[in-house]
Amino acid sequence: MYISRLYIYMFPRAYITQNWQHIHHLGLSRNTTRLPCLDRMAGKQNDLAEALVRSGLRAELMPQHVALVLDGNRRWAQARGFTTPEGHEAGGVALRKIVELSCAFGIRAVTVFGFSQENFRRPQASSHSSIRSMISVLTEEVDYIMELIERLIRDNMDLFMREEIQVHVVGDPSRRPASLQDAAREAEEMTRSHSRYHLILAICYSGRWDIVQACRELATKVQDKLLRPDDIDESMLAGHLATNVLGDQLGCPDLLIRTSGELRLSNFLLWQSAYSELYFTDTLWPDFGEDEYIKALKAFQSRERRFGQRKVM
Amino acid sequence: MEGTLTSCSPAVNPNIEKPEDMVKTGVLARFQNFLRKCLIAVISYGPMPNHIAFIMDGNRRYAKCRSIQQGAGHRVGFFALIANLLYCYEMGVKYMTVYAFSIDNFKRDPKEVQSLMQLMEEKINELLEKQSVIDKLNCKVNFWGNLELLCEPVRLAAQKLMASTAGNTGPVLSVCMPYNSTSEIVNAVSEVYAERREMLQREHDGDCNGQAVNNGVHPEISVADLDRHMYSAGCPDPDIVIRTSGETRLSNFLLWQTTFSHLQNPDALWPDFSFRHLVWSVLQYQRAYPYLEQNRNLAKKQL
């Protein structure tokens, strides 16, 4: 065991690879060597510091909560001659990698915008055959994505358990298929006790829906005379938003990354992204890997955040 | 509008006292105006935005760069605002919104806040005069925000300006001062509750009188209800949001309304933001327009 540790310290590069099979002879178990960066060795703190130093990032300026908008799967597939489902699958693989990296960098919360209410809106039914075929294609795609998300949740349970990630699924539950609801509930129950990292999957979520549902909850409370309308202020409304599961400290994302060159917010985390640094990149989501992520984090660390006030010199 | 439009060069002279002084006459100015009109005619072939929102960032940095006094940076910023208002009017952009002062900015140094308030009062009073720029354009000015937080003279001046321009039919300038999108949403929420309560009260009275006003079913609160009570009710959503000085944040500005807006963050500081920057913004918007339209059509505003 000590000899293998010595090997690890002398030849760290052997671990920076997805192909772990060549180190099978060391007798290390599969789960401990999946990560590309230097983690999973003795002393988590040392590993984190080393990983940060290698990538040129500073631990004290790391964002606590990162939000990701996964955009560009379809375009990526088209560019490479794959089918759209394959593009979404590649997106799922990229997502797992980014979640692992976030844990390695010590980012406590990651919110992922998987599927919005707007994606559910299909063009109005018309007698035009091309519109009808578009509708059927969109329906199939929507069903496929739902099924993919369910599969992703189930397949990545090992990652969630290993890294102590608490999973939350937010969004309009009435629009999700029953099997996805079950998978989400199971994942939430199994990871309820974890508190180190948080992963929020926003499925069938829309910022406006979130605010309106918080508004409705408060309305029922006002109706039941539990509170007066004058008591409602920003923190109370914020407390009823779906992302409140993270509490006050982590509730708002520090950094919001949007891939595939789209310069819009698209109704994601409206309220919570009031002071987030926005980072837009032209890379399509399946190509968004470690290098791109480090670039985004470096850009975040170089920004001066003032929150409306002047920085005291 | 003939020849009386400004030709504001990028390096604005900080010694100008009134916006009217920016109007230059002479052969060079006329030629510049003509060129500008040609350029606008060319870009008008593509889709033009109806509403542009500006986050006017960079006044203090401009002042530091040019080694002029801090307060003067904001004055120069005001002239840039008027210049851009005129350019937008020439381009046919009907609505313009600017983020003048945030509720968080009250936490700044009291002297700076005081000087900003004085500047705003002075400028609003200037705009109230006859023959001011606002009058010439027949511009309607709105002040969005929680006006109660302002001090008395500024608030009165703002209300007077809103009242005197309420009937104007020209371009609409909305000044967000002091504004926070989160407090706008909370304000809309409390207004919706008040409306509901009144409705329930009227129904209750109707029931007492023996008539059923409706069959007692209340629709749930929806996006449309909140939309109606936002400060921006009646104004279309911004097509472009421009934040100058290169920062990429929204800083609590129009969060509810910018779902499908094209976000841009040019590196120019706000006082440097001139006609060419505006043309470039519009060109970028035109490039992204087909995709934006497609998404807007696929999505509905209501839940």
Side-chain angles (χ1 to χ4, degrees), chain B residues 53-99:
Chain B
F54 293 96
I55 301 180
M56 311 191 288
D57 204 1
N59 293 332
R60 287 177 297 174
R61 266 167 282 178
Y62 181 85
K64 222 178 354 185
C65 269
R66 299 266 190 291
S67 310
I68 54 181
Q69 256 189 340
Q70 278 293 338
H74 293 294
R75 280 178 192 273
V76 181
F78 174 74
F79 294 125
L81 166 62
I82 297 295
N84 280 300
L85 173 62
L86 290 163
Y87 296 144
C88 284
Y89 171 73
E90 279 187 38
M91 285 186 177
V93 175
K94 184 136 198 273
Y95 296 89
M96 182 171 153
T97 305
V98 293
Y99 198 12

Side-chain angles (χ1 to χ4, degrees), chain B residues 17-207:
Chain B
E17 285 305 313
K18 284 185 183 293
E20 285 74 41
D21 290 352
M22 286 161 70
V23 173
K24 296 192 185 74
T25 49
V27 176
L28 189 60
R30 284 182 191 269
F31 184 61
Q32 277 176 328
N33 286 343
F34 174 69
L35 274 182
R36 203 166 58 233
K37 284 199 176 78
C38 286
L39 194 51
I40 290 175
V42 166
I43 58 175
S44 301
Y45 273 109
M48 288 299 276
N50 199 25
H51 180 176
I52 305 184
F54 293 96
I55 301 180
M56 311 191 288
D57 204 1
N59 293 332
R60 287 177 297 174
R61 266 167 282 178
Y62 181 85
K64 222 178 354 185
C65 269
R66 299 266 190 291
S67 310
I68 54 181
Q69 256 189 340
Q70 278 293 338
H74 293 294
R75 280 178 192 273
V76 181
F78 174 74
F79 294 125
L81 166 62
I82 297 295
N84 280 300
L85 173 62
L86 290 163
Y87 296 144
C88 284
Y89 171 73
E90 279 187 38
M91 285 186 177
V93 175
K94 184 136 198 273
Y95 296 89
M96 182 171 153
T97 305
V98 293
Y99 198 12
F101 195 80
S102 160
I103 295 180
D104 298 314
N105 293 149
F106 279 119
K107 295 181 206 148
R108 286 188 186 171
D109 186 25
K111 281 202 282 271
E112 191 188 342
V113 175
Q114 177 78 356
S115 73
L116 271 171
M117 289 293 145
Q118 273 171 353
L119 172 70
M120 283 198 249
E121 192 192 334
E122 188 190 315
K123 294 303 171 189
I124 297 175
N125 284 328
E126 265 175 34
L127 292 176
L128 272 170
E129 289 165 20
K130 287 277 165 201
Q131 298 306 312
S132 73
V133 166
I134 299 292
D135 237 9
K136 285 198 181 115
L137 294 181
N138 201 19
C139 178
K140 181 171 168 189
V141 180
N142 289 326
F143 283 94
W144 292 350
N146 194 358
L147 292 173
E148 310 298 321
L149 296 172
L150 293 171
C151 51
E152 190 77 18
V154 185
R155 183 161 23 108
L156 287 174
Q159 282 166 342
K160 214 164 131 188
L161 185 58
M162 272 202 287
S164 68
T165 55
N168 290 355
T169 52
V172 178
L173 170 67
S174 309
V175 181
C176 291
M177 175 185 94
Y179 178 87
N180 243 6
S181 194
T182 43
S183 56
E184 181 191 16
I185 294 174
V186 171
N187 183 55
V189 165
S190 36
E191 281 183 10
V192 166
Y193 288 161
E195 194 189 56
R196 288 281 156 135
R197 216 170 5 162
E198 257 181 54
M199 211 165 73
L200 280 172
Q201 192 64 35
R202 263 183 283 135
E203 267 190 28
H204 179 72
D205 292 341
D207 281 340

Side-chain angles (χ1 to χ4, degrees), chain A residues 121 208 215-216 275 277 308, chain B residues 104-105 193 221 249 298:
Chain A
R121 306 279 175 229
R208 288 186 182 181
C215 190
R216 286 176 189 165
Y275 296 103
E277 295 291 330
Chain B
D104 298 314
N105 293 149
Y193 288 161
I221 295 173
R249 311 184 267 265
L298 271 180

Side-chain angles (χ1 to χ4, degrees), chain A residues 138-308:
Chain A
L138 279 175
T139 320
E140 278 173 27
E141 192 182 340
V142 161
D143 293 338
Y144 180 78
I145 294 176
M146 290 289 140
E147 191 222 337
L148 172 69
I149 295 173
E150 189 189 330
R151 222 178 335 124
L152 277 177
I153 295 177
R154 291 197 202 278
D155 293 344
N156 287 312
M157 276 312 289
D158 64 318
L159 173 65
F160 302 150
M161 301 309 281
R162 187 178 77 227
E163 297 282 3
E164 290 174 52
I165 301 175
Q166 190 178 36
V167 176
H168 314 267
V169 177
V170 303
D172 194 356
S174 59
R175 295 184 169 275
R176 291 182 231 146
S179 52
L180 178 55
Q181 287 277 75
D182 293 334
R185 211 177 314 129
E186 272 172 37
E188 282 179 352
E189 275 170 21
M190 284 181 65
T191 55
R192 198 180 292 274
S193 56
H194 299 163
S195 58
R196 225 161 128 238
Y197 299 113
H198 296 268
L199 172 68
I200 299 185
L201 294 171
I203 303 169
C204 306
Y205 177 90
S206 134
R208 288 186 182 181
W209 166 83
D210 201 8
I211 294 175
V212 169
Q213 67 88 19
C215 190
R216 286 176 189 165
E217 266 182 38
L218 287 172
T220 20
K221 284 198 180 156
V222 165
Q223 219 169 5
D224 296 339
K225 307 269 193 286
L226 289 169
L227 32 104
R228 292 172 303 146
D230 302 332
D231 291 336
I232 297 172
D233 62 355
E234 292 181 32
S235 46
M236 190 168 291
L237 193 61
H240 283 81
L241 293 172
T243 49
N244 184 52
V245 287
L246 299 176
D248 286 332
Q249 299 295 323
L250 286 181
C252 297
D254 296 309
L255 174 62
L256 197 146
I257 300 177
R258 176 141 200 179
T259 52
S260 84
E262 287 297 315
L263 295 172
R264 292 172 296 125
L265 278 185
S266 289
N267 217 347
F268 176 51
L269 289 187
L270 279 192
W271 178 284
Q272 299 89 332
S273 63
Y275 296 103
S276 321
E277 295 291 330
L278 310 171
Y279 180 81
F280 299 107
T281 171
D282 287 330
T283 327
L284 302 171
W285 174 248
D287 290 331
F288 191 83
E290 187 175 350
D291 294 332
E292 287 289 333
Y293 199 29
I294 290 176
K295 235 192 323 184
L297 290 171
K298 276 202 185 128
F300 172 80
Q301 296 196 342
S302 64
R303 295 197 189 162
E304 188 194 318
R305 304 185 76 191
R306 295 187 296 267
F307 300 97

